[in-house]
Amino acid sequence: DGICQSAGSPCGNGYLCFEESDSCSLIAGDASVALTTDNYPGEISWDIKRNFDQEIVLSSPGYSSANTPQPILTVDLVAGEYTFTIRDTYGDGICCSVGTGSYTLTSNENVIAEGGEYGFGEVKYFTIGSDPTLLPTRNPTPNPTTISPTSSPTPAPTPVPTS
């Protein structure tokens, strides 16, 4: 048990705790997976992996109900690059030959990938990051007052006798 688990995530709202480095990182966005199974739900699996450390941040729970919309799963993410991989062990995807399954991957409510006809699997890459819009700059400060240099140096302080 690291600091994140033993301390109950000391990072606070809006941050994720990382055990490996005992550090906190700002949440930069999210990813959600919505999925409807086909006739063979046990063949389906997927995961979202953080690319810099290959950590799986969200994965499928294992499906057993055929031709059924599944609960949408969502994870908060820090800025970075991610990989979404969906698999079908039989190789027929989740749409069209044996049911009408489908999936939708969204991030911050924007569709990143969707489909169902993918054979054995499909891989999609996406990036979570902050908006590159720059914040407005403040009004410039006034120029400093110009003081003319003196023609001779200032006198040295008078030494204080020590007794």
Side-chain angles (χ1 to χ4, degrees), residues 44-145:
I44 306 162
S45 66
W46 57 264
D47 60 57
I48 297 174
K49 194 178 291 187
R50 190 173 45 233
N51 291 358
F52 80 86
D53 62 358
Q54 298 301 298
E55 176 88 17
I56 293 174
V57 296
L58 187 64
S59 61
S60 55
Y63 300 112
S64 58
S65 300
N67 300 306
T68 306
Q70 301 297 311
I72 296 171
L73 299 177
T74 301
V75 63
D76 288 327
L77 301 171
V78 298
E81 295 176 352
Y82 293 83
T83 302
F84 170 77
T85 305
I86 188 164
R87 300 167 201 82
D88 185 287
T89 57
Y90 191 75
D92 59 359
I94 54 175
C95 184
C96 306
S97 64
V98 288
T100 55
S102 64
Y103 77 89
T104 303
L105 170 66
T106 59
S107 176
N108 301 326
E109 300 180 13
N110 297 308
V111 174
I112 295 173
E114 57 187 345
E117 296 183 80
Y118 55 78
F120 282 100
E122 186 167 69
V123 176
K124 299 291 181 180
Y125 302 96
F126 63 101
T127 301
I128 298 291
S130 59
D131 183 359
T133 304
L134 297 175
L135 295 173
T137 56
R138 295 182 180 167
N139 291 332
T141 56
N143 288 334
T145 307

